[in-house]
Amino acid sequence: MGITLTLTGHQTDLGGGFVVRRMLPAGVRQSVGPFIFFDHFGPVVQPPSMNTDVRPHPHIGLATVTYLYEGAMMHRDNLGTVQRIEPGAINWMSAGRGIVHSERTPEDLKRADRRTHGLQLWVALPQSQEESAPTFAHTPADLIPELTQEGARVRVLVGTAWGLTSPVQALSPTLYLDIQLAAGQSLTLPKLAEEAAIYAIDQPLSLDGEAVAPHTMVVLNDEGAGLLSNPSDTEARLVIIGGAPLDGHRFIWWNFVSTQKERIVQAAQDWEAGLFKSVPGDDQERIELPPKRPYQQA
């Protein structure tokens, strides 16, 4: 097993000074397995004056996958879902033909300094499911299977690894692992998925002797097993993502993903015209479309 591509990503300000590290999509690589979007935010301490609420906004053609290391978020959507997510749990929201949601800081955390740290990923839905009915599923932390393997603690967030299968239901072969690798220890990685990548959350790693810097994603080749090592004197955290390759190219504009440009144009028009159902209890404001409309020459 080796590294075929290294992605260093770029920083993006989501507003209010809330900066994320964005690994996917990249100019040289749109996706790894079905994962088409990868944001790492924090760790950061936010004062009460810092507002990082994400107002209601729409999605089509994708599933959002939210995972926290620290902090909490309150999810609301136009299906009527109200769900707090805390560290170790998974929120999986499949947009299908269209959904609207918001993510806000819970009221009980707004009165003092608060730490936040986590990952926000998108999975592109299979072409056959792009127009499926929207759904939401919350899997609490205590239902996520985990094991100790060599020098690592592995949580199987989505998919199957080392004989354990997550209860999170994906619509295509998908792998998402949260791994804590003890200081100075190693983990033998089998071939876990048809496509796979490692993202180093906080410490340097090495894969078969090749260095992997913190906040870096490395896409793996499929040449058998590899040895993942933590050379530091501190526990390292990483995630592995992957799965079956996408069934065709995806167009991405704002919060919309589709195999068809025309479908994205229609979704933008529908949002501008107010045709998406609003979020119950959170319908007094929303995020408007970017000034430049999608595929204006299409």
Side-chain angles (χ1 to χ4, degrees):
M1 180 180 290
I3 297 169
T4 61
L5 182 65
T6 297
L7 301 175
T8 55
H10 62 277
Q11 292 193 341
T12 298
D13 191 330
L14 299 184
F18 188 49
V19 177
V20 301
R21 303 173 193 91
R22 182 160 297 166
M23 296 293 129
L24 293 173
V28 294
R29 182 91 185 203
Q30 185 181 56
S31 60
V32 176
F35 289 96
I36 202 163
F37 182 92
F38 187 112
D39 272 3
H40 176 204
F41 54 90
V44 64
V45 177
Q46 299 172 329
S49 60
M50 187 173 183
N51 182 2
T52 56
D53 286 355
V54 181
R55 294 164 290 152
H57 59 282
H59 291 286
I60 66 164
L62 59 89
T64 62
V65 189
T66 307
Y67 187 67
L68 298 179
Y69 297 117
E70 298 179 87
M73 292 182 185
M74 188 64 73
H75 166 97
R76 288 182 172 84
D77 62 44
N78 63 351
L79 303 177
T81 308
V82 180
Q83 178 64 60
R84 182 181 178 122
I85 182 171
E86 296 183 328
I90 285 282
N91 274 5
W92 182 287
M93 184 187 75
S94 181
R97 59 179 174 260
I99 199 167
V100 180
H101 77 129
S102 64
E103 291 174 311
R104 297 184 183 270
T105 301
E107 290 299 322
D108 60 291
L109 297 183
K110 290 183 175 180
R111 295 185 290 272
D113 289 353
R114 57 189 185 272
R115 288 183 62 85
T116 186
H117 185 201
L119 300 170
Q120 181 69 65
L121 279 58
W122 294 356
V123 168
L125 299 181
Q127 290 190 41
S128 63
Q129 299 294 323
E130 285 186 321
E131 296 300 319
S132 59
T135 62
F136 176 87
H138 173 80
T139 303
D142 60 2
L143 293 185
I144 299 293
E146 60 181 68
L147 75 154
T148 299
Q149 182 73 17
E150 300 174 22
R153 175 175 174 257
V154 180
R155 306 189 77 233
V156 184
L157 307 182
V158 185
T160 298
W162 286 287
L164 295 182
T165 298
S166 169
V168 176
Q169 296 295 307
L171 293 176
S172 65
T174 304
L175 181 73
Y176 189 9
L177 307 178
D178 174 21
I179 298 177
Q180 293 167 273
L181 187 55
Q185 296 297 304
S186 298
L187 173 65
T188 302
L189 293 179
K191 181 176 171 61
L192 293 165
E194 192 172 351
E195 292 184 352
I198 295 169
Y199 177 73
I201 296 290
D202 55 7
Q203 299 294 331
L205 303 167
S206 71
L207 181 66
D208 291 339
E210 290 189 75
V212 180
H215 305 154
T216 298
M217 178 176 287
V218 292
V219 180
L220 309 179
N221 64 33
D222 57 0
E223 298 173 359
L227 188 66
L228 180 68
S229 301
N230 175 10
S232 71
D233 58 4
T234 303
E235 180 182 80
R237 197 147 201 171
L238 62 128
V239 294
I240 298 178
I241 62 168
L246 286 181
D247 53 349
H249 178 77
R250 294 304 192 273
F251 296 100
I252 307 172
W253 182 82
W254 194 43
N255 299 314
F256 303 141
V257 172
S258 180
T259 53
Q260 304 294 325
K261 289 182 180 180
E262 296 79 10
R263 183 65 182 90
I264 291 179
V265 172
Q266 184 61 58
Q269 292 172 348
D270 290 346
W271 181 245
E272 189 170 42
L275 299 181
F276 282 82
K277 182 182 175 183
S278 61
V279 177
D282 195 354
D283 57 359
Q284 298 306 301
E285 57 179 354
R286 69 178 203 166
I287 300 176
E288 300 298 338
L289 291 176
K292 185 177 179 180
R293 296 300 184 257
Y295 309 113
Q296 291 174 328
Q297 304 304 317

